Amino acid sequence: MISLILAVFLGSVYFYLRHKDARMLRNGIVLVAASWFALLGITEILGQWFPWTQWIAVGIVVLSPLAIVVLAGFLISNGVTMMRNEGRSLGNLLALLAGVALLGLPVFAALLVVTLNPVAIGLAALLFFLCSYFGVVFVVFLAYAVAYGKMKHTIDPAAVVILGSQIIKGKVPPLLRSRLDKGLEVYRGASAKTAPLLIPSGGQGWDESRPEGVAMAEYLVSAGVPVAHVVAEDQAISTAQNLQFSAIVAREHGRDGALLVVTNNYHVLRAALLSRKLGINAQVVGSPTARYFLPSAFLREFVAILREHKKLHVIMCLPFVALTVSVTAAIITVSQ
């Protein structure tokens, strides 16, 4: 019963925080905590009413290693698919690397433990703590990325900013076309008296024949949008610059209201977090992405968010390091 009370309390806190500002990762922490206590509470109740259901929980725990192996196999298979379809860049290899790590790290830790060397055992313990920490952080990120991606926008935007991605031979590829089509959907469904300004945003990469924003603007105009309603932003080379430069373009064209940012569904949360960090009044919506692309894409976003908050995560990991070093040193001292 206590677990369910905590779940209801945390659920209420989650909806309050989400209503206050949905663009905060701490909302995901509260959401995962509320879900965890709800699961515990439901398990307790089912265990009281139907004692045999406790064996289900035991079975889940026993089968967890098998589930990890299955997940690793899926990630490796997905990584191979990514290499075949998208090339061998580091970003496309993330799912493959994650799958190999899921299989290899437990074996490596076990080999350290069987040495019976205090330092090696301490290293194995530290590896366990760090993997557990980043595993929980990833669950929080993924849960809230999905939750945020399901939210409907609640504004009549002054401008719709469509974030760019790589163009191929000067043309818009399927991934970027998905964003543009979502932007068109928002534009055509706007209820405001004045149609929102469409701002396709993206500069020219070293391997691109022209700026992404220009190619995207041509696509929008060819889809029937009046030329006066499309203004390309063609200088940005990062998501942060996409948001900053597009906000400037919107103001220069007299669009001082809230922005609606369009990107692929795996990218919505990071774009939302960045818009808040930059002080830009915006909501973010996602467009569909090919399923085979999602595992590596979500992992890339996770790594990017870790990099953007690296100082915080280093500080959070320091207690694990300190505890491991202290315990290892104590064991060495006792054994001498």
Side-chain angles (χ1 to χ4, degrees), residues 117-128:
N117 182 294
V119 175
I121 294 174
L123 181 59
L126 179 60
L127 189 63
F128 171 77

Side-chain angles (χ1 to χ4, degrees), residues 78 92 151 236 270:
N78 179 259
N92 294 337
M151 296 179 196
R270 188 159 73 92

Side-chain angles (χ1 to χ4, degrees), residues 78-144:
N78 179 259
V80 172
T81 301
M82 281 293 293
M83 283 194 299
R84 289 174 178 169
N85 294 345
E86 305 293 335
R88 297 187 179 184
S89 68
L90 179 59
N92 294 337
L93 289 173
L94 283 177
L96 176 62
L97 295 175
V100 172
L102 279 176
L103 293 177
L105 287 178
V107 175
F108 178 62
L111 291 174
L112 289 174
V113 171
V114 297
T115 64
L116 300 181
N117 182 294
V119 175
I121 294 174
L123 181 59
L126 179 60
L127 189 63
F128 171 77
F129 289 139
L130 294 180
C131 288
S132 299
Y133 170 75
F134 286 109
V136 170
V137 173
F138 180 73
V139 169
V140 169
F141 157 74
L142 184 60
Y144 197 56

Side-chain angles (χ1 to χ4, degrees), residues 40 75 81 95 98 148 181 202-203 220 223-224 238 247 249 262 277 279 282 323 327:
L40 285 180
L75 289 172
T81 301
Y148 187 92
D181 290 342
L220 294 170
S238 67
V249 170
V262 179
K277 181 179 179 180
L323 175 62
V327 173

Side-chain angles (χ1 to χ4, degrees), residues 15 31 37 58 90 93 106 162 164-165 168 179 182 186 190 212 251 258 294 312 324 336:
F15 283 107
L31 172 62
F37 281 113
V58 174
L90 179 59
L93 289 173
I162 306 171
S165 65
I168 299 175
R179 300 183 185 187
K182 183 67 176 182
V186 173
E212 296 163 4
R251 287 196 299 271
L294 289 175
L312 171 64
T324 303
Q336 287 177 344

Side-chain angles (χ1 to χ4, degrees), residues 122-269:
L123 181 59
L126 179 60
L127 189 63
F128 171 77
F129 289 139
L130 294 180
C131 288
S132 299
Y133 170 75
F134 286 109
V136 170
V137 173
F138 180 73
V139 169
V140 169
F141 157 74
L142 184 60
Y144 197 56
V146 173
Y148 187 92
K150 297 291 184 182
M151 296 179 196
K152 304 296 183 182
H153 71 85
T154 57
I155 58 173
D156 285 326
V160 177
V161 178
I162 306 171
L163 302 187
S165 65
Q166 186 178 36
I167 58 174
I168 299 175
K169 296 181 180 179
K171 302 296 182 180
V172 172
L175 183 75
L176 186 52
R177 190 180 309 134
S178 173
R179 300 183 185 187
L180 290 163
D181 290 342
K182 183 67 176 182
L184 287 169
E185 177 187 324
V186 173
Y187 170 81
R188 290 165 178 162
S191 59
K193 293 182 180 179
T194 303
L197 184 69
L198 285 172
I199 307 177
S201 174
Q204 182 175 347
W206 65 269
D207 55 349
E208 294 175 313
S209 59
R210 57 178 177 157
E212 296 163 4
V214 173
M216 294 162 69
E218 287 184 3
Y219 180 90
L220 294 170
V221 172
S222 67
V225 179
V227 174
H229 291 180
V230 181
V231 179
E233 184 291 302
D234 59 3
Q235 299 299 313
I237 58 173
S238 67
T239 301
Q241 289 187 0
N242 286 138
L243 296 170
Q244 290 173 307
F245 296 171
S246 296
I248 293 172
V249 170
R251 287 196 299 271
E252 289 176 345
H253 287 76
R255 305 303 180 103
D256 296 322
L259 305 179
L260 188 68
V261 179
V262 179
T263 186
N264 282 88
N265 49 12
Y266 62 83
H267 191 226
V268 288
L269 181 57

